[in-house]
Amino acid sequence: MASKWFVAKRILLLVPVLTGVATLVFAILHISPGDPARVMAGQRATAEQIELIRQETGLNDPIWIQYGRFLADTAQLSFGDSYVLKPNQPVASILKNSIPITIELAVYGQLMGITLGLPLGVLSAIKQDSITDHITRIGALTGISVPIFWSGPVVIILFSVMLGIFPTNGRIAQGFFLSDTWLFFGNELPVTGLITIDTLLLGRYDAFASAVRHLFLPASVIGIYSMALISRMMRSSMLEVIRQDYIRTARAKGQGEKITMLKHGLKNAFIPVITVIGIQFGTLLGGAVLTETVFGIQGMGMILVEAIEVGDYPVVQGAVLVFALLFTLVNLGVDITYSYLDPRIQQ
Amino acid sequence: MERAARPGSASELWAWIRDRLRLVGSAALVGGVLAALGVVGSLLLTQYGLAVVSTQLFSLAALCFGFGLLGWSGSVLAGTGVEHAQRYLDTDTDWTEDDSRRAMARIGGFGFGGMLGVICVASLLGV
Amino acid sequence: MSTRTQNTRRQGGIRGLFARIRASQFLSELASNRLAIVGLVIITTMAGLAIYARVFIGGVPPLTEGQYQAIIHSNLGGNSDLAKASPSLQYPFGLDGQARSIFPRVMYGAWLALKWGTITVGASTVLGVGLGVVAAYYGDITDNVIMRAMDVLLAFPSLLLALALVTIFGTGLENAVLALVLVYTPRFARVVRGAALKVMEDEYIDATVALGARDFRVLVRHVVPNCLAPVTVQSTLNFGLAIIDLAALSFLGFGAEAGTPSWGMMLSNGVEHGLHSAWWWAFFPGLFLALTVLGFNLLGDGMRDALDPRMRDAVD
């Protein structure tokens, strides 16, 4: 077991991954036609004002100097100040509050997808070509055909507007204050920034209930989509395992069919699926962009979209880097889990 | 596999390094020459000044470099995941981490060479 | 001698392809798949609506607001009291905020979706086939560099990659299409490369080369036609994805212009302004969008099963 080296190597690899992403972002923003100085100065600025900004921000320096400075700044996690969205506010502080929002959304969505998708996939595979199988497959196909920006509005219309069971948008009902200050919940969270965890840590069960009710619809929309993907994957992986010889042998030895499936099949079928779940996390982040827009949640996705729209480059850079970091960390976690499930991988 | 390839003695270490240097270096050389020609060419053929030309070409080269770097480290990091994903994506694939790392080293080296090429030529011509 | 028998058994070119499709069980397999038939029916219906809308409702897209007023509201007499009217017999999908009937707009959206979907998928197919065939034919470094670069592109989530590309190209429908073409090309390149490699294992390609045929001729006449089947499956599956992603980019404000009767724009408008007051604004465009995509996914799944029964249980 070379477990420590395995983990250390993967953590070290974060450096080139993030340098690569940072370089890509830098290149993309400098190839693109927009002039950051003009964006910063605003529509009515004169040529002199723009020139002044170019000099102040170093946009007149040779490009490689700018690149070097950009890498050095990024390494210290300083992404500069926002141009447009919240002028002169550091990007890090803008992103700080929105990162946990997106993480929370993605994690609960993915959890829903996994807890529903895995059993459905297994069921579908065990009862291949039965009614259950057909319904699951058609359901999964429908799930990946329905875009999040339609299923989102539909559940809002149904459950919020018509039935009034869940709130339409936001993270928590107005009027919940942190116990010893006048700060609203949702604007500043004291511990982790994850609202479902912080409310519990503070013992505010009423606020917790409200937060869960707010989170339910958006997380479900992501969850349904991810469930569809996972159940399809799990079904095919499970079928592949069932057809392998050792399952037949085990069955021939006279063990009960269901026990055989569970004992031998599940673990082996799950191994490839878990790695794909890690890669699918990227799709989920893409889904978070749309979900946040539909539900009016001020997460990373919404900030990224707004920043691209107005050409706020530092915010775009910061948001993309954080997305990349999240994606890499999730895959790192998956990789480590995977290496425990299948020790051959560490050779 | 990768650990088995790890060097034991000094001569092996040198061979190990030389192999990789040759791979990245040849690509970097091509990139550098192309970038230098690109700078001179666009200065002669278009009406853009050195600042614009060097910015655009440097960014293009950086795009290759970043792409290669990300691809290289990504292949190592998510190699197993990708191999599984490929299997479930379509019928015939022979994706291997090793091939991917080599290809990415080429692309990245090409981009890095290009960045250096732009720096050299643009500094010589005076920015 | 053996060359001649090879050639009669496996013709190159389009004629050979048709012969092989007829000989294989592809069509009968496909016809026996009920879900694929359902998909085909959905797609045909949408295409019918699209053509109807294009011929009887729209002029040359994008329609100016004036043309809309003239064509779509002729029966309203400019009565703005009717704005936001809910679905009724006269206006099956209700009216929008400018008292425009949503039904013809949704039908026209089918035309836009299928048109731009075709352009996106068509362009990425051509690019992907080119790259894939070249990679397979020349092999070695060319192959490795092209395909591994494609793999990295594939690893990016499609919507996020499209967003990054839109940042480079700028917003607008044409740029969104261009971005998506680049996003989808790797999928085609990979499928084509796999198929092309298999074709080239056949002796008759070697024979053709030995007989002195030029590279390009061999590629176009013999390799490409033999890859068309998997490419068609991939195109069908990607068609649905292209429609969703284009609508998503429009929804986020990076695609079609405001006021365009595309499904994405109508959804965006419905979510922004009508979520609480007029559910039909977002509901119907999205319903048609989802149905169309489902149609393509059902058909694509069925085609893949028919093409390669071993793959029946695999997943895209």
Side-chain angles (χ1 to χ4, degrees), chain C residues 90-164:
Chain C
Q90 197 185 352
Y91 310 113
F93 293 173
L95 300 180
D96 68 9
Q98 287 154 279
R100 294 181 296 204
S101 176
I102 291 175
F103 183 55
R105 283 172 69 81
V106 166
M107 284 204 296
Y108 197 81
W111 163 255
L112 289 179
L114 292 181
K115 176 187 152 194
W116 289 105
T118 310
I119 293 175
T120 311
V121 171
S124 31
T125 307
V126 171
L127 260 178
V129 168
L131 283 172
V133 167
V134 166
Y137 193 82
Y138 293 102
D140 208 27
I141 295 187
T142 318
D143 181 26
N144 208 2
V145 168
I146 292 182
M147 292 322 293
R148 297 318 148 209
M150 295 288 125
D151 287 338
V152 175
L153 281 178
L154 260 177
F156 286 105
S158 64
L159 187 65
L160 294 181
L161 181 57
L163 276 182

Side-chain angles (χ1 to χ4, degrees), chain A residues 24 28-29 31-33 128 134 137-138 141-142 144-147 149-150 153-154 156-157 160-162 168-169 225 229 232-237 239 243 279 281-283 285-287 289-290 293-294 304-306 308-309 313 316 323 327, chain C residues 35 155-157 159-160 163-171 241 243-245 247-248 251-254 264 267 271 274-280 282-287 289-290 293-295 297-298 301 304-305 310 312-316:
Chain A
L24 278 181
I28 285 175
L29 292 184
I31 293 176
S32 63
Q128 194 187 1
H134 287 305
R137 289 183 72 186
I138 297 174
L141 209 56
T142 313
I144 58 172
S145 303
V146 173
F149 49 96
W150 185 58
V154 167
I156 293 180
I157 289 168
S160 310
V161 179
M162 291 185 173
T168 11
N169 57 10
Y225 186 77
L229 283 175
R232 273 164 74 88
M233 233 146 39
M234 191 63 200
R235 176 177 183 275
S236 78
S237 176
L239 279 177
R243 296 210 186 99
I279 291 176
F281 189 76
T283 315
L285 288 178
V289 172
L290 291 165
T293 310
V294 170
L304 177 66
V305 168
E306 283 174 357
I308 294 179
E309 265 169 6
Y313 290 167
V316 176
F323 265 126
F327 182 67
Chain C
L35 286 180
F156 286 105
L159 187 65
L160 294 181
L163 276 182
L165 292 171
V166 163
T167 316
I168 300 185
F169 303 145
T171 55
L241 205 60
I243 292 179
I244 286 195
D245 281 346
F251 180 81
L252 292 173
F254 300 115
L267 257 170
V271 169
L275 212 45
H276 296 269
S277 53
W279 56 268
W280 52 95
F283 182 77
F284 291 110
L287 179 69
L289 172 60
V293 175
L294 181 65
N297 282 343
L298 286 173
D301 254 23
R304 187 174 47 199
D305 292 353
R310 280 178 304 124
R312 173 151 312 158
D313 309 309
V315 161
D316 57 311

Side-chain angles (χ1 to χ4, degrees), chain C residues 6-7 10-12 199 202-209 222 226:
Chain C
Q6 282 282 354
N7 269 341
R10 290 207 65 173
Q11 296 163 304
V199 175
D202 282 354
E203 285 167 26
Y204 89 106
I205 294 284
D206 287 340
T208 330
V209 176
H222 300 280
N226 282 293

Side-chain angles (χ1 to χ4, degrees), chain B residues 2-32:
Chain B
E2 214 192 322
R3 304 203 73 199
R6 221 148 274 282
S9 67
S11 63
E12 272 177 57
L13 176 76
W14 173 235
W16 188 85
I17 292 177
R18 200 178 46 200
D19 264 9
R20 273 146 191 81
L21 272 184
R22 191 179 294 157
L23 183 75
V24 178
S26 58
L29 202 65
V30 177

Side-chain angles (χ1 to χ4, degrees), chain B residues 3-127:
Chain B
R3 304 203 73 199
R6 221 148 274 282
S9 67
S11 63
E12 272 177 57
L13 176 76
W14 173 235
W16 188 85
I17 292 177
R18 200 178 46 200
D19 264 9
R20 273 146 191 81
L21 272 184
R22 191 179 294 157
L23 183 75
V24 178
S26 58
L29 202 65
V30 177
V33 171
L34 273 183
L37 289 178
V39 172
V40 177
S42 2
L43 279 179
L44 292 177
L45 298 176
T46 63
Q47 79 275 35
Y48 294 113
L50 186 59
V52 176
V53 167
S54 63
T55 301
Q56 291 299 314
L57 284 178
F58 185 86
S59 304
L60 269 180
L63 202 64
C64 290
F65 174 62
F67 189 84
L69 193 59
L70 182 63
W72 180 85
S73 42
S75 317
V76 185
L77 195 68
T80 44
V82 177
E83 273 172 35
H84 284 294
Q86 306 276 323
R87 241 177 68 211
Y88 289 89
L89 279 164
D90 54 50
T91 43
D92 303 289
T93 46
D94 47 1
W95 193 93
T96 62
E97 192 196 311
D98 202 49
D99 273 357
S100 178
R101 278 203 324 249
R102 293 186 150 270
M104 285 307 141
R106 279 207 178 87
I107 296 176
F110 175 81
F112 192 67
M115 288 158 79
L116 290 181
V118 174
I119 295 180
C120 291
V121 176
S123 313
L124 277 178
L125 296 175
V127 176

Side-chain angles (χ1 to χ4, degrees), chain A residues 56-332:
Chain A
E56 275 175 4
T57 49
L59 284 165
N60 279 340
D61 293 339
I63 179 85
W64 51 92
I65 308 260
Q66 294 185 43
Y67 176 63
R69 195 163 46 213
F70 168 73
L71 281 190
D73 285 349
T74 309
Q76 297 162 37
L77 293 179
S78 93
F79 303 115
D81 293 347
S82 159
Y83 298 163
V84 189
L85 283 183
K86 290 178 182 167
N88 298 326
Q89 212 173 313
V91 172
S93 79
I94 297 177
L95 293 180
K96 200 186 78 195
N97 289 328
S98 61
I99 294 171
I101 300 181
T102 300
I103 292 181
E104 204 164 32
L105 190 59
V107 166
Y108 285 110
Q110 185 72 294
L111 277 182
M112 261 187 216
I114 292 174
T115 44
L116 295 174
L118 288 183
L120 276 180
V122 173
L123 197 70
S124 196
I126 294 178
K127 305 201 177 248
Q128 194 187 1
D129 290 327
S130 69
I131 298 280
T132 328
D133 182 27
H134 287 305
I135 292 176
T136 313
R137 289 183 72 186
I138 297 174
L141 209 56
T142 313
I144 58 172
S145 303
V146 173
I148 281 178
F149 49 96
W150 185 58
S151 55
V154 167
V155 297
I156 293 180
I157 289 168
L158 195 63
F159 293 105
S160 310
V161 179
M162 291 185 173
L163 299 175
I165 306 176
F166 293 104
T168 11
N169 57 10
R171 297 178 82 194
I172 195 164
Q174 286 295 321
F176 282 107
F177 297 100
L178 289 172
S179 47
D180 46 357
T181 65
W182 285 103
L183 283 172
F184 281 117
F185 262 119
N187 295 337
E188 289 281 338
L189 286 165
V191 195
T192 57
L194 303 166
I195 199 162
T196 49
I197 294 183
D198 277 2
T199 44
L200 282 185
L201 287 179
L202 294 170
R204 294 287 303 271
Y205 301 109
D206 51 341
F208 174 75
S210 171
V212 168
R213 269 162 40 96
H214 278 78
L215 197 55
F216 187 79
L217 286 186
S220 310
V221 167
I222 292 186
I224 291 169
Y225 186 77
S226 131
M227 174 192 86
L229 283 175
I230 291 175
S231 73
R232 273 164 74 88
M233 233 146 39
M234 191 63 200
R235 176 177 183 275
S236 78
S237 176
M238 188 76 190
L239 279 177
E240 211 169 81
V241 170
I242 290 176
R243 296 210 186 99
Q244 279 165 6
D245 284 341
Y246 67 96
I247 293 274
R248 270 190 231 130
T249 321
R251 212 182 281 176
K253 272 196 251 160
Q255 290 182 27
E257 188 166 339
K258 275 180 191 144
I259 298 170
T260 318
M261 294 283 184
L262 290 179
K263 229 169 134 184
H264 296 267
L266 266 183
K267 190 178 148 194
N268 286 303
F270 186 61
I271 285 175
V273 172
I274 184 180
T275 57
V276 184
I277 286 176
I279 291 176
Q280 291 292 353
F281 189 76
T283 315
L284 212 68
L285 288 178
V289 172
L290 291 165
T291 313
E292 285 169 11
T293 310
V294 170
F295 286 88
I297 299 169
Q298 280 288 337
M300 299 260 306
M302 199 156 169
I303 289 186
L304 177 66
V305 168
E306 283 174 357
I308 294 179
E309 265 169 6
V310 297
D312 199 335
Y313 290 167
V315 179
V316 176
Q317 286 170 352
V320 170
L321 278 170
V322 173
F323 265 126
L325 184 66
L326 283 181
F327 182 67
T328 331
L329 284 179
V330 165
N331 278 290
L332 185 72

Side-chain angles (χ1 to χ4, degrees), chain C:
Chain C
M1 276 300 109
S2 68
T3 313
R4 180 164 297 167
T5 47
Q6 282 282 354
N7 269 341
T8 43
R9 197 164 56 79
R10 290 207 65 173
Q11 296 163 304
I14 295 293
R15 198 180 299 166
L17 177 74
F18 279 130
R20 245 165 294 138
I21 288 182
R22 243 173 289 140
S24 77
Q25 296 176 327
F26 180 75
L27 288 180
S28 61
E29 274 268 354
L30 192 61
S32 68
N33 185 334
R34 256 175 282 165
L35 286 180
I37 298 299
V38 172
L40 195 62
V41 169
I42 296 178
I43 297 169
T44 319
T45 314
M46 287 298 166
L49 284 181
I51 292 170
Y52 173 84
R54 173 69 180 80
V55 173
F56 292 102
I57 301 177
V60 179
L63 290 185
T64 63
E65 213 48 37
Q67 279 169 305
Y68 261 115
Q69 303 286 337
I71 298 160
I72 297 174
H73 310 189
S74 48
N75 49 354
L76 291 185
N79 186 351
S80 59
D81 294 347
L82 281 170
K84 280 194 175 189
S86 53
S88 62
L89 272 181
Q90 197 185 352
Y91 310 113
F93 293 173
L95 300 180
D96 68 9
Q98 287 154 279
R100 294 181 296 204
S101 176
I102 291 175
F103 183 55
R105 283 172 69 81
V106 166
M107 284 204 296
Y108 197 81
W111 163 255
L112 289 179
L114 292 181
K115 176 187 152 194
W116 289 105
T118 310
I119 293 175
T120 311
V121 171
S124 31
T125 307
V126 171
L127 260 178
V129 168
L131 283 172
V133 167
V134 166
Y137 193 82
Y138 293 102
D140 208 27
I141 295 187
T142 318
D143 181 26
N144 208 2
V145 168
I146 292 182
M147 292 322 293
R148 297 318 148 209
M150 295 288 125
D151 287 338
V152 175
L153 281 178
L154 260 177
F156 286 105
S158 64
L159 187 65
L160 294 181
L161 181 57
L163 276 182
L165 292 171
V166 163
T167 316
I168 300 185
F169 303 145
T171 55
L173 190 56
E174 281 83 5
N175 288 338
V177 168
L178 184 61
L180 288 180
V181 167
L182 293 184
V183 171
Y184 296 145
T185 298
R187 298 161 196 257
F188 289 96
R190 215 179 37 183
V191 171
V192 170
R193 176 179 168 274
L197 279 181
K198 214 182 279 170
V199 175
M200 291 191 333
E201 280 168 15
D202 282 354
E203 285 167 26
Y204 89 106
I205 294 284
D206 287 340
T208 330
V209 176
L211 287 173
R214 288 236 202 89
D215 282 1
F216 184 74
R217 201 181 139 75
V218 175
L219 287 181
V220 171
R221 289 250 325 147
H222 300 280
V223 179
V224 171
N226 282 293
C227 305
L228 284 185
V231 167
T232 315
V233 175
Q234 191 68 16
S235 306
T236 313
L237 286 169
N238 262 280
F239 212 111
L241 205 60
I243 292 179
I244 286 195
D245 281 346
L246 268 176
L249 286 177
S250 292
F251 180 81
L252 292 173
F254 300 115
E257 279 170 48
T260 314
S262 77
W263 292 335
M265 277 319 293
M266 281 187 264
L267 257 170
S268 162
N269 182 48
V271 169
E272 214 170 311
H273 304 294
L275 212 45
H276 296 269
S277 53
W279 56 268
W280 52 95
W281 289 7
F283 182 77
F284 291 110
L287 179 69
F288 273 63
L289 172 60
L291 267 179
T292 312
V293 175
L294 181 65
F296 278 106
N297 282 343
L298 286 173
L299 182 65
D301 254 23
M303 279 166 72
R304 187 174 47 199
D305 292 353
L307 186 71
D308 186 0
R310 280 178 304 124
M311 287 300 294
R312 173 151 312 158
D313 309 309
V315 161
D316 57 311

